[in-house]
Amino acid sequence: YKLIAIDIDGTLLNSSGELTQHTINTIKKVTEKNVKVVLTSGRVTDSVKGIADKINADKHIICDNGATIVDLENLETIYSRYIDKKTILELVEFCITNNVYYMVFTTKEIIVKDLKHMAFAFYKQRHHLKDEATGISEIKFAGIDYIKKVDEPFTRIVICDQDRAIYNSIINILKEYDNIALLAAPHISNKI
């Protein structure tokens, strides 16, 4: 093998969300054989950087569910596909109007109104971790006024609802946006 692309949560990290010494040693053995190890994750960029440094991964990381590829050696974004602020604000307004839960992701943080759904799962899974290398994303408790002031790129928005009919109608509405890629992931709500 010349390259191993590996996910972080549930793959590289153990079930407690920790990077074990055994895993670090195993990755080191692989890289010593000139095999590149590229971290790929749904996590925000800053969250992946610490883990990449800890395991001596390749200089390139794929973050934000593929929305960002970063060259760590030069600290340069070599690929990005972000959602424009206008679209993010439209989607957040839609969620507020329809009383639907949302999480807005930037390259630095996760913006939530409160701890529900995936935000609660993230918090519950990671709040006890002390090691910076686990890359805990900052969860910012804020609303639309804060989002309007954000200067960081928006990588994605997660929209959640427990009611299947509402969920399906949300999916149908979101399909009408031609400038976003839609990933319907009902399996995530099953985990939560």
Side-chain angles (χ1 to χ4, degrees), residues 14-26:
N14 67 15
S15 60
S16 298
E18 300 164 328
L19 181 61
T20 66
Q21 191 59 50
H22 174 73
T23 300
I24 293 169
N25 294 341
T26 301

Side-chain angles (χ1 to χ4, degrees), residues 77-94:
T77 299
I78 56 174
Y79 171 84
S80 62
R81 175 108 189 229
Y82 301 133
I83 304 173
D84 63 88
K85 187 181 278 192
K86 179 182 178 283
T87 301
I88 285 288
L89 291 172
E90 284 178 24
L91 293 171
V92 169
E93 288 282 358
F94 165 81

Side-chain angles (χ1 to χ4, degrees), residues 57-86:
D58 187 70
K59 66 177 185 171
H60 296 100
I61 55 175
I62 302 170
C63 314
D64 306 309
N65 282 354
T68 313
I69 301 174
V70 176
D71 177 340
L72 292 176
E73 193 170 72
N74 302 314
L75 294 176
E76 176 185 9
T77 299
I78 56 174
Y79 171 84
S80 62
R81 175 108 189 229
Y82 301 133
I83 304 173
D84 63 88
K85 187 181 278 192
K86 179 182 178 283

Side-chain angles (χ1 to χ4, degrees), residues 118-181:
M118 277 181 67
F120 181 68
F122 286 161
Y123 179 81
K124 188 175 173 185
Q125 177 190 35
R126 299 180 188 157
H127 81 280
H128 67 285
L129 300 173
K130 305 282 189 255
D131 184 355
E132 286 184 21
T134 57
I136 301 168
S137 305
E138 180 182 347
I139 296 179
K140 175 75 175 176
F141 295 96
I144 194 164
D145 290 335
Y146 177 81
I147 295 168
K148 288 177 182 176
K149 297 174 188 172
V150 170
D151 286 331
E152 290 297 319
F154 296 99
T155 59
R156 68 185 178 280
I157 180 169
V158 173
I159 300 174
C160 309
D161 200 280
Q162 292 173 315
D163 183 284
R164 178 58 74 188
I166 293 172
Y167 175 81
N168 288 335
S169 69
I170 291 168
I171 296 300
N172 288 332
I173 290 167
L174 294 177
K175 285 179 182 175
E176 305 211 0
Y177 284 84
D178 60 357
N179 59 343
I180 61 170

Side-chain angles (χ1 to χ4, degrees), residues 101-130:
Y101 189 76
Y102 64 89
M103 297 169 60
V104 174
F105 290 71
T106 73
T107 55
K108 303 275 185 203
E109 64 189 355
I110 303 169
I111 305 164
V112 299
K113 186 176 176 183
D114 52 29
L115 285 179
K116 285 185 185 176
H117 304 293
M118 277 181 67
F120 181 68
F122 286 161
Y123 179 81
K124 188 175 173 185
Q125 177 190 35
R126 299 180 188 157
H127 81 280
H128 67 285
L129 300 173
K130 305 282 189 255

